[in-house]
Amino acid sequence: MPHHAGRAGTVVTDWQPSALQLERIAYRQRRARRSTLIAVVSSVVLLALVAIGIGSTPGWPRVRATFFDPQRAWEALPVVAEGLWLNIRVMLICAVLIVVIGMGLAILRTLRGPIFFPLRVFAAAYTDVFRGLPLLLVIFLLGFGVPALRLQGVPNAAVVWGGAALVLTYSSYVAEVFRAGIESVHPSQRAAARSLGLSYRQTLRFVVLPQAVRRVMPPLLNDFVSLQKDSGLIAVLGVIDAIRAAQLETAIDFNFTPYVVAGLLFVALTIPLTRLTDYVARRQGWYGGGGGPV
């Protein structure tokens, strides 16, 4: 292979791809363009068939006027978007609390020794109960039950107890995600850390938890995608979020377009985190090589 010395002693090669390599590169580029073209054409054809099929139904004009009125959507957009801002704030605050409580429960369930048996039982009972209860039922119980007790110093705001229901329910799922990550770390990692003089707390903090969190990041992000959507359930308590705002707008003229606007806003909010989840999963090898990029 011809080469010569460049500046500062660096070696500059005169390598050029062979004709066979150039042919392979051109073949891959042609296959990539062909695959892209087929994907675009098949998608357009499928969407066209769906649009023709729906548009040819007898009730489509009525559905279009009731659910897809552009003028009504534009009128409802500011009100629904203002309600969505409440959903975003609830989701962000709840996400922080869920991570903290879920991590704490996971650590309690992985404690060794008989002295920690009561803590392990409490963590197991917590996760079993709140994973078994429907989220909507927890929202009803907290949102209507706790204010009815008239406890002194306890807030009665519906948004507070709706958020508390989200935290209690989702922390039970996140705790199991974290526990799976902690238990996936091989025991030799703990043994090696302890042999180096690290205490149990130091081993957990510097050796086990960093690996566990990195391994469970994709399913953890999936839980937060679900949390974004389920934050709309607090509307059943009368909180003026995006869904409740859409309901109030619909009650004006019984046009359901505001619900469609709320749905589109939730989708626009969820898609970036979904794409981030897919990216992290691919980086960590969660997805195999058989699927496409979508």
Side-chain angles (χ1 to χ4, degrees):
M1 180 183 295
H3 65 275
H4 58 84
R7 294 181 179 179
T10 59
V11 177
V12 180
T13 63
D14 295 328
W15 177 83
Q16 296 291 335
S18 64
L20 181 59
Q21 180 66 17
L22 292 175
E23 184 178 351
R24 289 174 177 172
I25 294 174
Y27 174 76
R28 294 192 187 103
Q29 291 176 346
R30 290 196 301 270
R31 286 296 299 267
R33 289 193 295 266
R34 179 173 175 270
S35 299
T36 302
L37 179 61
I38 292 175
V40 171
V41 171
S42 61
S43 299
V44 171
V45 170
L46 178 61
L47 291 175
L49 291 176
V50 171
I52 293 173
I54 295 177
S56 60
T57 57
W60 169 244
R62 178 64 176 174
V63 171
R64 181 178 58 188
T66 305
F67 288 89
F68 303 101
D69 186 348
Q71 181 178 356
R72 191 69 185 91
W74 182 253
E75 294 173 354
L77 179 60
V79 179
V80 177
E82 184 178 355
L84 183 69
W85 173 234
L86 177 62
N87 290 109
I88 295 174
R89 287 179 290 170
V90 169
M91 187 271 295
L92 293 176
I93 295 174
C94 290
V96 175
L97 296 176
I98 288 168
V99 169
V100 173
I101 297 176
M103 178 68 77
L105 291 170
I107 293 174
L108 291 180
R109 291 206 66 179
T110 56
L111 290 175
R112 305 295 196 271
I115 193 174
F116 297 115
F117 177 75
L119 297 179
R120 293 197 298 268
V121 170
F122 166 76
Y126 180 98
T127 55
D128 289 344
V129 169
F130 284 103
R131 284 194 303 165
L133 288 174
L135 174 56
L136 192 59
L137 180 59
V138 179
I139 292 176
F140 280 137
L141 291 176
L142 292 182
F144 295 131
V146 176
L149 296 175
R150 299 181 181 180
L151 299 175
Q152 295 295 328
V154 176
N156 293 326
V159 66
V160 173
W161 293 111
L166 291 172
V167 171
L168 290 174
T169 301
Y170 269 87
S171 59
S172 63
Y173 291 100
V174 171
E176 289 300 286
V177 172
F178 278 133
R179 185 170 73 97
I182 292 173
E183 293 183 347
S184 70
V185 178
H186 198 274
S188 62
Q189 298 280 333
R190 297 175 181 265
R194 298 304 295 270
S195 67
L196 293 175
L198 273 68
S199 64
Y200 176 82
R201 181 180 300 178
Q202 290 173 328
T203 301
L204 190 65
R205 177 182 177 185
F206 297 110
V207 178
V208 177
L209 288 183
Q211 298 183 67
V213 172
R214 187 164 54 249
R215 293 179 181 183
V216 303
M217 191 58 67
L220 192 63
L221 291 175
N222 273 326
D223 284 337
F224 289 142
V225 170
S226 298
L227 177 63
Q228 284 184 339
K229 298 180 296 181
D230 287 344
S231 65
L233 292 177
I234 62 176
V236 299
L237 301 178
V239 179
I240 309 298
D241 71 331
I243 296 178
R244 180 62 174 169
Q247 183 182 19
L248 295 176
E249 286 293 310
T250 300
I252 296 175
D253 54 3
F254 296 100
N255 187 292
F256 293 94
T257 302
Y259 280 121
V260 178
V261 173
L264 293 177
L265 290 178
F266 271 106
V267 169
L269 181 65
T270 304
I271 285 178
L273 186 54
T274 305
R275 296 301 96 186
L276 176 62
T277 302
D278 292 340
Y279 170 76
V280 173
R282 285 194 297 269
R283 287 287 301 271
Q284 297 189 7
W286 279 71
Y287 299 154
V294 176

